[in-house]
Amino acid sequence: VSVDGDDVTISDDTTIENNDAMGADLTVANATVEDSTVSANGNGLAVDADNDVTVDNNTVSSHDGSAVDVAATTASVTDSNISDNADGVILDLSDGANSTVTLNELEDNGVGLTVVSGAEDLTVTGNNIQSTDTDIELNDGTAELDATLNYFGDNGPEADSAAGLDEGDGTIVYDPFLT
């Protein structure tokens, strides 16, 4: 599904699955994807928005590439099960202060969460992040990402370790974390 437009909403038990390339490719002003299933595509959701993106209460799984890839001013990724993907959530934001990644299950992804830009003041909390290779990857220069009060498995996260945190040149603050 490829959509160009102003305000786009995908909702109400919509299922997008078994596409070789992209599940949903949205180039819009504002986008909302809620209460839907996106699975077994080359990539899941790619959203390039001028303004705001909301991804809420979705199941996004089994993609060879990224599950949720958002380039926007702000984004809210909440209450979603994002699992078994090469990359779980990728965020490239111009306003991290008004953006959130909360209450998600980010499990069995190669990388759970990647922040390309917008890390300063981004809210990342209350998530279950247990990925295969890296839980959180920070690619936002020397930015500091507050990723406190997330669950990283029984032993918690460890910076620069396998299935831990990749801080790049920045800092990921993860303590206190949930046990």
Side-chain angles (χ1 to χ4, degrees):
V1 175
S2 182
V3 177
D4 292 330
D6 289 328
D7 298 329
V8 173
T9 299
I10 298 173
S11 65
D12 299 324
D13 297 320
T14 298
T15 299
I16 302 170
E17 61 186 3
N18 298 320
N19 295 292
D20 290 335
M22 182 63 64
D25 187 3
L26 309 175
T27 303
V28 296
N30 300 290
T32 300
V33 181
E34 60 188 3
D35 303 321
S36 297
T37 299
V38 181
S39 65
N41 301 292
N43 291 292
L45 300 170
V47 183
D48 186 356
D50 293 332
N51 299 310
D52 306 318
V53 174
T54 300
V55 177
D56 181 49
N57 196 37
N58 296 286
T59 298
V60 187
S61 63
S62 303
H63 300 97
D64 295 332
S66 60
V68 178
D69 188 345
V70 175
T73 302
T74 64
S76 172
V77 180
T78 58
D79 294 317
S80 293
N81 183 331
I82 300 169
S83 62
D84 194 29
N85 305 286
D87 295 294
V89 177
I90 301 172
L91 297 178
D92 185 354
L93 306 171
S94 57
D95 183 3
N98 292 304
S99 299
T100 60
V101 178
T102 57
L103 305 174
N104 297 289
E105 298 288 327
L106 300 172
E107 297 182 294
D108 300 322
N109 299 294
V111 177
L113 170 65
T114 300
V115 180
V116 176
S117 65
E120 295 290 338
D121 299 318
L122 172 65
T123 300
V124 178
T125 191
N127 299 288
N128 177 5
I129 306 173
Q130 298 185 69
S131 294
T132 306
D133 297 324
T134 305
D135 292 329
I136 299 175
E137 183 176 307
L138 181 59
N139 294 327
D140 191 5
T142 59
E144 180 175 287
L145 174 65
D146 183 351
T148 57
L149 300 176
N150 291 289
Y151 181 72
F152 295 95
D154 293 338
N155 297 321
E158 293 189 30
D160 299 320
S161 70
L165 307 174
D166 181 351
E167 297 180 310
D169 292 329
T171 304
I172 300 172
V173 178
Y174 60 87
D175 198 359
F177 52 88
L178 302 175
T179 58

